[in-house]
Short mmCIF file of all heavy atoms in Angstrom, two decimals:
data_model
loop_
_atom_site.label_atom_id
_atom_site.label_comp_id
_atom_site.label_asym_id
_atom_site.label_seq_id
_atom_site.Cartn_x
_atom_site.Cartn_y
_atom_site.Cartn_z
N LEU A 3 26.93 147.29 133.76
CA LEU A 3 27.84 148.13 133.08
C LEU A 3 28.52 148.99 134.13
O LEU A 3 27.96 149.35 135.21
CB LEU A 3 27.01 149.12 132.16
CG LEU A 3 26.36 148.37 130.87
CD1 LEU A 3 25.53 149.35 130.17
CD2 LEU A 3 27.42 147.95 129.97
N ALA A 4 29.67 149.47 133.83
CA ALA A 4 30.42 150.55 134.76
C ALA A 4 29.60 151.78 134.63
O ALA A 4 28.93 152.09 133.74
CB ALA A 4 31.79 150.58 134.21
N ALA A 5 29.90 152.63 135.66
CA ALA A 5 29.30 153.85 135.87
C ALA A 5 29.67 154.80 134.61
O ALA A 5 30.86 154.73 134.21
CB ALA A 5 29.71 154.62 137.04
N GLY A 6 28.78 155.57 134.08
CA GLY A 6 29.03 156.43 132.84
C GLY A 6 27.78 156.58 132.04
O GLY A 6 26.69 156.13 132.41
N ASN A 7 27.89 157.16 130.86
CA ASN A 7 26.86 157.62 130.07
C ASN A 7 26.97 156.86 128.81
O ASN A 7 28.03 156.72 128.14
CB ASN A 7 26.72 159.03 129.72
CG ASN A 7 26.41 159.84 130.98
OD1 ASN A 7 25.62 159.37 131.83
ND2 ASN A 7 27.15 161.03 131.17
N TYR A 8 25.84 156.25 128.29
CA TYR A 8 26.04 155.37 127.10
C TYR A 8 24.90 155.67 126.12
O TYR A 8 23.78 156.27 126.45
CB TYR A 8 25.84 153.81 127.52
CG TYR A 8 26.87 153.27 128.54
CD1 TYR A 8 26.64 153.51 129.85
CD2 TYR A 8 28.09 152.72 128.17
CE1 TYR A 8 27.65 153.07 130.83
CE2 TYR A 8 28.97 152.29 128.93
CZ TYR A 8 28.80 152.45 130.34
OH TYR A 8 29.68 151.99 131.18
N THR A 9 25.19 155.23 124.85
CA THR A 9 24.20 155.35 123.78
C THR A 9 23.78 153.88 123.38
O THR A 9 24.64 153.02 123.16
CB THR A 9 24.59 156.05 122.52
OG1 THR A 9 24.96 157.42 122.88
CG2 THR A 9 23.65 156.03 121.45
N VAL A 10 22.51 153.65 123.47
CA VAL A 10 22.05 152.29 123.01
C VAL A 10 21.47 152.37 121.58
O VAL A 10 20.57 153.18 121.25
CB VAL A 10 20.87 151.82 123.99
CG1 VAL A 10 20.32 150.40 123.51
CG2 VAL A 10 21.37 151.86 125.42
N ARG A 11 22.08 151.60 120.68
CA ARG A 11 21.71 151.65 119.35
C ARG A 11 21.29 150.22 118.84
O ARG A 11 21.94 149.24 119.16
CB ARG A 11 22.92 152.12 118.49
CG ARG A 11 22.75 152.30 117.06
CD ARG A 11 23.99 152.60 116.39
NE ARG A 11 24.53 153.96 116.71
CZ ARG A 11 25.76 154.46 116.54
NH1 ARG A 11 26.60 153.76 115.87
NH2 ARG A 11 25.97 155.59 116.94
N VAL A 12 20.03 150.36 118.19
CA VAL A 12 19.45 149.17 117.65
C VAL A 12 19.39 149.21 116.15
O VAL A 12 18.98 149.98 115.50
CB VAL A 12 18.10 148.93 118.23
CG1 VAL A 12 17.44 147.60 117.68
CG2 VAL A 12 17.95 148.91 119.72
N GLY A 13 20.03 148.19 115.42
CA GLY A 13 20.14 148.10 114.10
C GLY A 13 19.46 146.92 113.54
O GLY A 13 19.01 146.02 114.32
N TRP A 14 19.42 146.76 112.17
CA TRP A 14 18.80 145.67 111.46
C TRP A 14 19.79 144.87 110.84
O TRP A 14 20.66 145.26 110.25
CB TRP A 14 17.92 146.21 110.34
CG TRP A 14 16.74 145.53 109.85
CD1 TRP A 14 16.07 144.53 110.61
CD2 TRP A 14 16.12 145.60 108.69
NE1 TRP A 14 15.09 144.05 109.79
CE2 TRP A 14 15.05 144.73 108.65
CE3 TRP A 14 16.39 146.52 107.64
CZ2 TRP A 14 14.24 144.68 107.53
CZ3 TRP A 14 15.51 146.37 106.50
CH2 TRP A 14 14.49 145.50 106.43
N MET A 15 19.62 143.54 111.18
CA MET A 15 20.82 142.57 110.64
C MET A 15 20.73 142.47 109.14
O MET A 15 21.74 142.04 108.48
CB MET A 15 20.63 141.16 111.23
CG MET A 15 20.85 141.04 112.79
SD MET A 15 22.66 141.60 113.16
CE MET A 15 23.55 140.27 112.38
N LYS A 16 19.61 142.90 108.46
CA LYS A 16 19.60 142.82 106.95
C LYS A 16 20.56 143.98 106.43
O LYS A 16 20.70 143.87 105.13
CB LYS A 16 18.14 143.03 106.55
CG LYS A 16 17.46 141.78 106.77
CD LYS A 16 15.94 141.85 106.24
CE LYS A 16 15.11 140.60 106.62
NZ LYS A 16 13.67 140.76 106.26
N SER A 17 20.74 144.92 107.21
CA SER A 17 21.63 146.09 106.65
C SER A 17 22.68 146.52 107.63
O SER A 17 22.37 146.58 108.81
CB SER A 17 20.62 147.18 106.36
OG SER A 17 21.48 148.40 106.04
N ASP A 18 23.83 146.77 107.19
CA ASP A 18 24.92 147.32 108.02
C ASP A 18 24.75 148.71 108.46
O ASP A 18 25.48 149.28 109.26
CB ASP A 18 26.33 146.99 107.39
CG ASP A 18 26.65 145.49 107.30
OD1 ASP A 18 26.02 144.70 108.15
OD2 ASP A 18 27.34 145.09 106.27
N THR A 19 23.91 149.30 107.69
CA THR A 19 23.89 150.82 107.77
C THR A 19 22.61 151.28 108.54
O THR A 19 22.60 152.42 108.99
CB THR A 19 24.07 151.56 106.41
OG1 THR A 19 22.97 151.09 105.57
CG2 THR A 19 25.39 151.28 105.75
N ASP A 20 21.52 150.55 108.37
CA ASP A 20 20.26 151.02 108.94
C ASP A 20 20.22 150.87 110.55
O ASP A 20 20.36 149.88 111.13
CB ASP A 20 19.07 150.05 108.49
CG ASP A 20 18.76 150.37 107.11
OD1 ASP A 20 19.32 151.42 106.56
OD2 ASP A 20 18.02 149.57 106.38
N VAL A 21 20.11 152.10 111.12
CA VAL A 21 19.95 152.26 112.58
C VAL A 21 18.43 152.49 112.78
O VAL A 21 17.97 153.50 112.38
CB VAL A 21 20.76 153.35 113.23
CG1 VAL A 21 20.53 153.50 114.63
CG2 VAL A 21 22.29 153.01 112.92
N LEU A 22 17.80 151.63 113.50
CA LEU A 22 16.37 151.74 113.52
C LEU A 22 15.82 152.44 114.74
O LEU A 22 14.76 153.03 114.79
CB LEU A 22 15.69 150.22 113.56
CG LEU A 22 16.22 149.34 112.46
CD1 LEU A 22 15.40 148.02 112.65
CD2 LEU A 22 15.76 149.93 111.15
N GLY A 23 16.83 152.55 115.72
CA GLY A 23 16.40 153.37 116.88
C GLY A 23 17.56 153.62 117.83
O GLY A 23 18.51 152.75 117.90
N THR A 24 17.63 154.83 118.64
CA THR A 24 18.64 154.98 119.62
C THR A 24 18.06 155.56 120.87
O THR A 24 16.97 156.05 120.80
CB THR A 24 19.72 155.96 119.10
OG1 THR A 24 18.94 157.23 118.72
CG2 THR A 24 20.42 155.56 117.82
N ALA A 25 18.76 155.38 122.00
CA ALA A 25 18.34 155.89 123.26
C ALA A 25 19.55 156.17 124.06
O ALA A 25 20.68 155.72 123.85
CB ALA A 25 17.45 154.89 123.96
N GLN A 26 19.46 157.03 125.19
CA GLN A 26 20.51 157.45 126.07
C GLN A 26 20.27 156.67 127.33
O GLN A 26 19.28 156.38 127.83
CB GLN A 26 20.50 158.77 126.38
CG GLN A 26 20.58 159.68 125.08
CD GLN A 26 21.65 159.24 124.10
OE1 GLN A 26 22.83 159.11 124.41
NE2 GLN A 26 21.17 159.14 122.79
N LEU A 27 21.36 156.07 127.87
CA LEU A 27 21.39 155.29 129.25
C LEU A 27 22.44 155.78 130.14
O LEU A 27 23.64 155.87 129.73
CB LEU A 27 21.48 153.80 128.92
CG LEU A 27 21.61 152.93 130.07
CD1 LEU A 27 20.33 152.97 130.96
CD2 LEU A 27 22.06 151.55 129.75
N SER A 28 22.16 156.10 131.35
CA SER A 28 23.16 156.55 132.39
C SER A 28 23.20 155.34 133.51
O SER A 28 22.17 154.97 133.86
CB SER A 28 22.75 157.84 132.92
OG SER A 28 22.89 158.89 132.00
N ILE A 29 24.51 155.15 133.85
CA ILE A 29 24.66 154.21 134.94
C ILE A 29 25.50 154.87 136.08
O ILE A 29 26.48 155.54 135.88
CB ILE A 29 25.52 152.99 134.47
CG1 ILE A 29 24.88 152.30 133.19
CG2 ILE A 29 25.77 151.92 135.66
CD1 ILE A 29 23.60 151.75 133.44
N ARG A 30 24.77 154.87 137.31
CA ARG A 30 25.47 155.59 138.41
C ARG A 30 26.18 154.53 139.25
O ARG A 30 25.78 153.39 139.34
CB ARG A 30 24.51 156.37 139.26
CG ARG A 30 23.31 155.50 139.85
CD ARG A 30 22.66 156.45 140.90
NE ARG A 30 21.52 155.60 141.58
CZ ARG A 30 20.22 155.87 141.24
NH1 ARG A 30 19.77 156.82 140.45
NH2 ARG A 30 19.29 154.95 141.88
N ASP A 31 27.21 155.02 140.00
CA ASP A 31 28.02 154.21 140.83
C ASP A 31 27.10 153.82 142.17
O ASP A 31 26.58 154.75 142.77
CB ASP A 31 29.28 154.91 141.36
CG ASP A 31 30.33 153.95 141.86
OD1 ASP A 31 29.76 152.98 142.45
OD2 ASP A 31 31.53 154.23 141.67
N SER A 32 27.00 152.59 142.41
CA SER A 32 26.29 152.25 143.60
C SER A 32 26.82 152.66 144.97
O SER A 32 26.17 152.69 145.91
CB SER A 32 26.05 150.60 143.62
OG SER A 32 27.34 149.99 143.70
N SER A 33 28.20 153.00 144.85
CA SER A 33 28.73 153.36 146.25
C SER A 33 28.51 154.85 146.58
O SER A 33 28.90 155.21 147.62
CB SER A 33 30.27 153.18 146.21
OG SER A 33 30.87 153.97 145.05
N ILE A 34 28.00 155.60 145.75
CA ILE A 34 27.65 157.00 145.94
C ILE A 34 26.37 157.13 146.63
O ILE A 34 25.34 156.65 145.99
CB ILE A 34 27.76 157.83 144.48
CG1 ILE A 34 29.16 157.63 143.95
CG2 ILE A 34 27.34 159.24 144.78
CD1 ILE A 34 29.31 158.44 142.56
N VAL A 35 26.31 157.82 147.76
CA VAL A 35 25.14 158.10 148.42
C VAL A 35 24.58 159.30 147.97
O VAL A 35 25.13 160.32 148.15
CB VAL A 35 25.27 157.91 150.06
CG1 VAL A 35 24.02 158.27 150.77
CG2 VAL A 35 26.00 156.68 150.41
N LEU A 36 23.44 159.27 147.46
CA LEU A 36 22.77 160.45 147.00
C LEU A 36 22.25 161.38 148.10
O LEU A 36 21.77 160.86 149.13
CB LEU A 36 21.49 160.11 146.18
CG LEU A 36 21.93 159.38 144.86
CD1 LEU A 36 20.67 159.06 144.01
CD2 LEU A 36 22.87 160.24 143.98
N PRO A 37 22.57 162.58 148.16
CA PRO A 37 22.01 163.55 149.26
C PRO A 37 20.54 163.49 149.42
O PRO A 37 19.80 163.42 148.38
CB PRO A 37 22.51 164.96 148.85
CG PRO A 37 22.58 164.93 147.28
CD PRO A 37 23.15 163.45 147.03
N VAL A 38 20.07 163.64 150.65
CA VAL A 38 18.68 163.55 150.96
C VAL A 38 18.18 164.98 150.81
O VAL A 38 18.77 165.97 151.29
CB VAL A 38 18.40 163.11 152.35
CG1 VAL A 38 16.87 163.13 152.70
CG2 VAL A 38 18.95 161.63 152.54
N GLN A 39 17.16 165.08 150.03
CA GLN A 39 16.54 166.44 149.78
C GLN A 39 15.78 166.74 150.91
O GLN A 39 14.82 166.13 151.43
CB GLN A 39 15.53 166.35 148.53
CG GLN A 39 16.40 166.05 147.21
CD GLN A 39 17.15 167.17 146.86
OE1 GLN A 39 17.06 168.40 147.13
NE2 GLN A 39 18.23 166.98 145.95
N VAL A 40 16.13 168.01 151.67
CA VAL A 40 15.30 168.60 152.66
C VAL A 40 14.48 169.66 152.22
O VAL A 40 14.78 170.47 151.41
CB VAL A 40 16.28 169.21 153.70
CG1 VAL A 40 15.53 169.83 154.91
CG2 VAL A 40 17.33 168.26 154.28
N PRO A 41 13.12 169.58 152.50
CA PRO A 41 12.16 170.51 152.09
C PRO A 41 12.60 171.90 152.39
O PRO A 41 12.92 172.16 153.57
CB PRO A 41 10.91 170.02 152.67
CG PRO A 41 11.02 168.49 152.99
CD PRO A 41 12.54 168.43 153.39
N GLU A 42 12.57 172.85 151.55
CA GLU A 42 12.82 174.20 151.89
C GLU A 42 11.65 174.80 152.42
O GLU A 42 10.51 174.58 152.18
CB GLU A 42 13.25 175.06 150.57
CG GLU A 42 14.49 174.48 149.87
CD GLU A 42 14.85 175.30 148.67
OE1 GLU A 42 14.08 176.17 148.41
OE2 GLU A 42 15.86 174.99 147.92
N LEU A 43 11.96 175.79 153.51
CA LEU A 43 10.88 176.59 154.22
C LEU A 43 10.40 177.76 153.17
O LEU A 43 11.28 178.19 152.44
CB LEU A 43 11.44 177.21 155.45
CG LEU A 43 11.85 176.08 156.59
CD1 LEU A 43 12.50 176.88 157.69
CD2 LEU A 43 10.68 175.42 156.97
N PRO A 44 9.18 178.10 153.36
CA PRO A 44 8.74 179.28 152.58
C PRO A 44 9.57 180.53 152.87
O PRO A 44 10.18 180.63 153.84
CB PRO A 44 7.23 179.45 153.03
CG PRO A 44 6.85 178.09 153.67
CD PRO A 44 8.26 177.49 154.27
N THR A 45 9.55 181.28 151.94
CA THR A 45 10.35 182.46 151.94
C THR A 45 9.95 183.44 153.15
O THR A 45 8.72 183.65 153.38
CB THR A 45 10.13 183.38 150.72
OG1 THR A 45 10.49 182.59 149.52
CG2 THR A 45 11.04 184.46 150.71
#
């Protein structure tokens, strides 16, 4: 899938209206380099 935010919806073929479950899915662009987290020094 292209980068973005999606909803995954699972339904029942016996009914056009019954949604049995949903979930959220995020796809990130593979070309984006995520910043490296540097541990912070104590106060």
Side-chain angles (χ1 to χ4, degrees):
L3 295 170
N7 295 316
Y8 300 88
T9 296
V10 183
R11 182 179 298 166
V12 182
W14 205 24
M15 291 301 295
K16 290 181 179 178
S17 171
D18 294 332
T19 58
D20 284 347
V21 177
L22 307 184
T24 59
Q26 310 306 315
L27 175 65
S28 295
I29 307 295
R30 65 167 176 250
D31 194 331
S32 59
S33 63
I34 298 176
V35 179
L36 296 178
V38 178
Q39 295 289 338
V40 179
E42 294 183 2
L43 295 174
T45 305

